Tab-separated table of all heavy atoms in Angstrom:
chain	number	residue	atom	x	y	z
A	1	ALA	N	0.828	-1.194	-0.025
A	1	ALA	CA	0.000	-0.019	-0.019
A	1	ALA	C	0.846	1.290	-0.016
A	1	ALA	O	0.585	2.224	-0.712
A	1	ALA	CB	-0.941	0.004	1.240
A	2	SER	N	1.968	1.258	0.753
A	2	SER	CA	2.888	2.376	0.756
A	2	SER	C	3.526	2.562	-0.585
A	2	SER	O	3.696	3.713	-1.062
A	2	SER	CB	3.966	2.180	1.846
A	2	SER	OG	3.434	2.255	3.141
A	3	ALA	N	3.875	1.464	-1.180
A	3	ALA	CA	4.507	1.518	-2.524
A	3	ALA	C	3.566	2.125	-3.547
A	3	ALA	O	3.948	2.979	-4.382
A	3	ALA	CB	4.979	0.126	-2.984
A	4	ALA	N	2.322	1.718	-3.443
A	4	ALA	CA	1.262	2.251	-4.370
A	4	ALA	C	1.040	3.743	-4.151
A	4	ALA	O	0.897	4.515	-5.112
A	4	ALA	CB	-0.008	1.508	-4.200
A	5	ARG	N	1.022	4.156	-2.895
A	5	ARG	CA	0.864	5.614	-2.598
A	5	ARG	C	2.048	6.385	-3.142
A	5	ARG	O	1.845	7.490	-3.680
A	5	ARG	CB	0.731	5.788	-1.102
A	5	ARG	CG	-0.652	5.476	-0.529
A	5	ARG	CD	-0.841	5.970	0.866
A	5	ARG	NE	-0.010	5.232	1.819
A	5	ARG	CZ	-0.404	4.164	2.528
A	5	ARG	NH1	-1.669	3.755	2.409
A	5	ARG	NH2	0.418	3.521	3.331
A	6	ALA	N	3.264	5.880	-2.951
A	6	ALA	CA	4.473	6.541	-3.459
A	6	ALA	C	4.383	6.702	-4.958
A	6	ALA	O	4.759	7.795	-5.490
A	6	ALA	CB	5.693	5.831	-3.071
A	7	GLU	N	3.943	5.697	-5.619
A	7	GLU	CA	3.898	5.731	-7.083
A	7	GLU	C	2.841	6.780	-7.574
A	7	GLU	O	3.090	7.573	-8.436
A	7	GLU	CB	3.515	4.349	-7.669
A	7	GLU	CG	3.460	4.330	-9.160
A	7	GLU	CD	3.193	2.932	-9.741
A	7	GLU	OE1	2.969	1.995	-8.926
A	7	GLU	OE2	3.171	2.797	-10.956
A	8	ARG	N	1.643	6.726	-6.929
A	8	ARG	CA	0.578	7.694	-7.306
A	8	ARG	C	1.051	9.137	-7.065
A	8	ARG	O	0.669	10.042	-7.766
A	8	ARG	CB	-0.635	7.407	-6.510
A	8	ARG	CG	-1.422	6.132	-6.943
A	8	ARG	CD	-2.795	6.062	-6.401
A	8	ARG	NE	-2.859	6.110	-4.980
A	8	ARG	CZ	-2.833	5.040	-4.173
A	8	ARG	NH1	-2.800	3.829	-4.726
A	8	ARG	NH2	-2.898	5.147	-2.835
A	9	ALA	N	1.819	9.341	-5.997
A	9	ALA	CA	2.232	10.685	-5.613
A	9	ALA	C	3.430	11.178	-6.455
A	9	ALA	O	3.829	12.339	-6.370
A	9	ALA	CB	2.612	10.739	-4.131
A	10	GLY	N	4.025	10.286	-7.232
A	10	GLY	CA	5.146	10.664	-8.077
A	10	GLY	C	6.521	10.709	-7.376
A	10	GLY	O	7.363	11.451	-7.786
A	11	PHE	N	6.649	9.919	-6.314
A	11	PHE	CA	7.927	9.912	-5.569
A	11	PHE	C	8.956	9.149	-6.409
A	11	PHE	O	8.666	8.242	-7.117
A	11	PHE	CB	7.770	9.223	-4.223
A	11	PHE	CG	6.941	9.964	-3.219
A	11	PHE	CD1	6.224	11.097	-3.557
A	11	PHE	CD2	6.903	9.526	-1.904
A	11	PHE	CE1	5.502	11.793	-2.596
A	11	PHE	CE2	6.136	10.201	-0.970
A	11	PHE	CZ	5.447	11.298	-1.317
A	12	THR	N	10.197	9.491	-6.166
A	12	THR	CA	11.366	8.753	-6.676
A	12	THR	C	11.807	7.837	-5.558
A	12	THR	O	12.135	8.288	-4.422
A	12	THR	CB	12.512	9.649	-7.115
A	12	THR	OG1	12.051	10.515	-8.143
A	12	THR	CG2	13.722	8.851	-7.563
A	13	VAL	N	11.837	6.506	-5.759
A	13	VAL	CA	12.219	5.584	-4.731
A	13	VAL	C	13.733	5.359	-4.759
A	13	VAL	O	14.315	5.010	-5.770
A	13	VAL	CB	11.503	4.217	-4.989
A	13	VAL	CG1	11.951	3.193	-3.916
A	13	VAL	CG2	9.978	4.417	-4.942
A	14	VAL	N	14.329	5.603	-3.583
A	14	VAL	CA	15.765	5.464	-3.404
A	14	VAL	C	16.002	4.615	-2.150
A	14	VAL	O	15.908	5.168	-1.064
A	14	VAL	CB	16.482	6.764	-3.247
A	14	VAL	CG1	18.002	6.653	-3.097
A	14	VAL	CG2	16.188	7.706	-4.469
A	15	ASP	N	16.253	3.355	-2.287
A	15	ASP	CA	16.410	2.507	-1.123
A	15	ASP	C	17.824	2.467	-0.558
A	15	ASP	O	18.063	1.835	0.434
A	15	ASP	CB	15.902	1.038	-1.450
A	15	ASP	CG	14.369	0.968	-1.409
A	15	ASP	OD1	13.782	1.736	-0.604
A	15	ASP	OD2	13.818	0.219	-2.190
A	16	ASP	N	18.774	3.106	-1.252
A	16	ASP	CA	20.108	3.289	-0.669
A	16	ASP	C	20.029	4.543	0.231
A	16	ASP	O	19.966	5.668	-0.278
A	16	ASP	CB	21.096	3.504	-1.775
A	16	ASP	CG	22.531	3.722	-1.264
A	16	ASP	OD1	22.712	4.028	-0.083
A	16	ASP	OD2	23.481	3.607	-2.076
A	17	MET	N	19.964	4.331	1.558
A	17	MET	CA	19.750	5.452	2.462
A	17	MET	C	20.849	6.487	2.432
A	17	MET	O	20.642	7.681	2.573
A	17	MET	CB	19.569	4.911	3.901
A	17	MET	CG	18.306	4.076	4.113
A	17	MET	SD	16.841	4.912	3.593
A	17	MET	CE	16.699	6.253	4.783
A	18	ALA	N	22.135	6.048	2.176
A	18	ALA	CA	23.209	7.003	2.059
A	18	ALA	C	22.968	7.955	0.896
A	18	ALA	O	23.237	9.143	1.020
A	18	ALA	CB	24.530	6.278	1.927
A	19	ARG	N	22.505	7.387	-0.209
A	19	ARG	CA	22.219	8.235	-1.379
A	19	ARG	C	21.068	9.148	-1.164
A	19	ARG	O	21.053	10.334	-1.548
A	19	ARG	CB	22.023	7.367	-2.639
A	19	ARG	CG	21.904	8.164	-3.927
A	19	ARG	CD	21.733	7.327	-5.115
A	19	ARG	NE	20.696	7.899	-5.987
A	19	ARG	CZ	19.782	7.195	-6.590
A	19	ARG	NH1	19.679	5.873	-6.449
A	19	ARG	NH2	18.892	7.763	-7.353
A	20	LEU	N	20.058	8.620	-0.531
A	20	LEU	CA	18.820	9.383	-0.239
A	20	LEU	C	19.180	10.612	0.579
A	20	LEU	O	18.767	11.707	0.339
A	20	LEU	CB	17.774	8.513	0.440
A	20	LEU	CG	16.429	9.207	0.801
A	20	LEU	CD1	15.257	8.209	0.640
A	20	LEU	CD2	16.424	9.700	2.258
A	21	VAL	N	20.017	10.390	1.647
A	21	VAL	CA	20.421	11.461	2.544
A	21	VAL	C	21.274	12.447	1.771
A	21	VAL	O	21.070	13.732	1.921
A	21	VAL	CB	21.203	10.878	3.753
A	21	VAL	CG1	22.002	11.982	4.431
A	21	VAL	CG2	20.259	10.181	4.721
A	22	ALA	N	22.209	12.026	0.963
A	22	ALA	CA	23.149	12.897	0.309
A	22	ALA	C	22.421	13.755	-0.742
A	22	ALA	O	22.883	14.902	-1.008
A	22	ALA	CB	24.241	12.098	-0.379
A	23	ASP	N	21.349	13.239	-1.326
A	23	ASP	CA	20.659	13.959	-2.402
A	23	ASP	C	19.604	14.924	-1.899
A	23	ASP	O	19.020	15.637	-2.694
A	23	ASP	CB	20.016	12.947	-3.352
A	23	ASP	CG	21.035	12.235	-4.235
A	23	ASP	OD1	22.240	12.614	-4.164
A	23	ASP	OD2	20.630	11.284	-4.950
A	24	SER	N	19.322	14.941	-0.553
A	24	SER	CA	18.193	15.730	-0.051
A	24	SER	C	18.645	16.913	0.754
A	24	SER	O	19.626	16.881	1.476
A	24	SER	CB	17.356	14.844	0.834
A	24	SER	OG	16.882	13.712	0.159
A	25	ALA	N	17.874	18.017	0.531
A	25	ALA	CA	18.146	19.216	1.327
A	25	ALA	C	17.362	19.140	2.658
A	25	ALA	O	17.808	19.691	3.705
A	25	ALA	CB	17.742	20.477	0.555
A	26	LEU	N	16.202	18.496	2.605
A	26	LEU	CA	15.386	18.361	3.800
A	26	LEU	C	14.979	16.884	3.897
A	26	LEU	O	14.722	16.216	2.847
A	26	LEU	CB	14.096	19.202	3.711
A	26	LEU	CG	14.231	20.687	3.657
A	26	LEU	CD1	12.868	21.339	3.383
A	26	LEU	CD2	14.838	21.313	4.903
A	27	LEU	N	14.858	16.356	5.104
A	27	LEU	CA	14.324	14.988	5.335
A	27	LEU	C	13.192	15.140	6.320
A	27	LEU	O	13.373	15.531	7.454
A	27	LEU	CB	15.423	14.091	5.871
A	27	LEU	CG	15.086	12.613	5.902
A	27	LEU	CD1	16.385	11.799	5.874
A	27	LEU	CD2	14.249	12.198	7.092
A	28	LEU	N	11.977	14.786	5.838
A	28	LEU	CA	10.782	14.904	6.632
A	28	LEU	C	10.407	13.485	7.211
A	28	LEU	O	10.148	12.568	6.410
A	28	LEU	CB	9.602	15.402	5.829
A	28	LEU	CG	9.439	16.961	5.743
A	28	LEU	CD1	10.677	17.590	5.161
A	28	LEU	CD2	8.194	17.308	4.883
A	29	SER	N	10.433	13.379	8.520
A	29	SER	CA	9.971	12.159	9.161
A	29	SER	C	8.509	12.259	9.459
A	29	SER	O	8.075	13.099	10.293
A	29	SER	CB	10.771	11.947	10.482
A	29	SER	OG	10.192	10.931	11.295
A	30	ILE	N	7.730	11.420	8.762
A	30	ILE	CA	6.242	11.456	8.934
A	30	ILE	C	5.842	9.959	9.143
A	30	ILE	O	5.508	9.258	8.163
A	30	ILE	CB	5.520	12.065	7.723
A	30	ILE	CG1	6.082	13.446	7.437
A	30	ILE	CG2	4.059	12.142	8.014
A	30	ILE	CD1	5.431	14.134	6.244
A	31	VAL	N	5.899	9.486	10.363
A	31	VAL	CA	5.605	8.085	10.703
A	31	VAL	C	4.696	8.075	11.938
A	31	VAL	O	4.489	9.127	12.555
A	31	VAL	CB	6.933	7.312	10.972
A	31	VAL	CG1	7.785	7.258	9.764
A	31	VAL	CG2	7.682	7.968	12.161
A	32	PRO	N	4.087	6.909	12.286
A	32	PRO	CA	3.321	6.858	13.515
A	32	PRO	C	4.240	7.327	14.695
A	32	PRO	O	5.452	7.013	14.680
A	32	PRO	CB	2.950	5.394	13.584
A	32	PRO	CG	2.944	4.936	12.178
A	32	PRO	CD	4.028	5.697	11.515
A	33	PRO	N	3.658	8.005	15.647
A	33	PRO	CA	4.501	8.585	16.772
A	33	PRO	C	5.371	7.537	17.462
A	33	PRO	O	6.464	7.914	17.944
A	33	PRO	CB	3.491	9.264	17.642
A	33	PRO	CG	2.141	8.748	17.268
A	33	PRO	CD	2.238	8.342	15.825
A	34	GLY	N	4.890	6.316	17.611
A	34	GLY	CA	5.617	5.354	18.283
A	34	GLY	C	6.896	4.922	17.521
A	34	GLY	O	7.759	4.203	18.131
A	35	GLU	N	7.030	5.284	16.269
A	35	GLU	CA	8.175	4.973	15.454
A	35	GLU	C	9.173	6.103	15.264
A	35	GLU	O	10.230	5.936	14.682
A	35	GLU	CB	7.753	4.445	14.086
A	35	GLU	CG	6.816	3.251	14.093
A	35	GLU	CD	6.322	2.916	12.704
A	35	GLU	OE1	6.869	3.392	11.706
A	35	GLU	OE2	5.330	2.124	12.621
A	36	ALA	N	8.851	7.237	15.822
A	36	ALA	CA	9.678	8.453	15.521
A	36	ALA	C	11.099	8.362	16.017
A	36	ALA	O	12.014	8.698	15.364
A	36	ALA	CB	8.936	9.720	16.084
A	37	VAL	N	11.251	7.943	17.310
A	37	VAL	CA	12.577	7.829	17.883
A	37	VAL	C	13.404	6.760	17.186
A	37	VAL	O	14.573	6.967	16.848
A	37	VAL	CB	12.496	7.575	19.407
A	37	VAL	CG1	13.911	7.306	19.975
A	37	VAL	CG2	11.828	8.743	20.125
A	38	ALA	N	12.757	5.640	16.906
A	38	ALA	CA	13.496	4.520	16.283
A	38	ALA	C	13.980	4.926	14.896
A	38	ALA	O	15.080	4.529	14.494
A	38	ALA	CB	12.574	3.301	16.184
A	39	LEU	N	13.189	5.692	14.157
A	39	LEU	CA	13.638	6.109	12.831
A	39	LEU	C	14.827	7.024	12.937
A	39	LEU	O	15.831	6.922	12.208
A	39	LEU	CB	12.472	6.868	12.130
A	39	LEU	CG	12.861	7.439	10.746
A	39	LEU	CD1	13.274	6.335	9.801
A	39	LEU	CD2	11.652	8.251	10.179
């Protein structure tokens, strides 16, 4: 379901986290509150 939402929204999927971090000016954490610290 998350993958489908990302596709519909036009996101670019980057599963290499080092590359995702390096390519981004901002990183928005939007997860259930119980997962915020762990992320």
Side-chain angles (χ1 to χ4, degrees):
S2 291
R5 281 190 293 265
E7 182 177 2
R8 288 195 300 270
F11 290 9
T12 298
V13 177
V14 181
D15 281 328
D16 179 344
M17 295 305 295
R19 187 178 136 222
L20 181 144
V21 164
D23 287 353
S24 303
L26 299 172
L27 191 156
L28 274 56
S29 167
I30 307 179
V31 296
E35 300 175 17
V37 173
L39 176 62

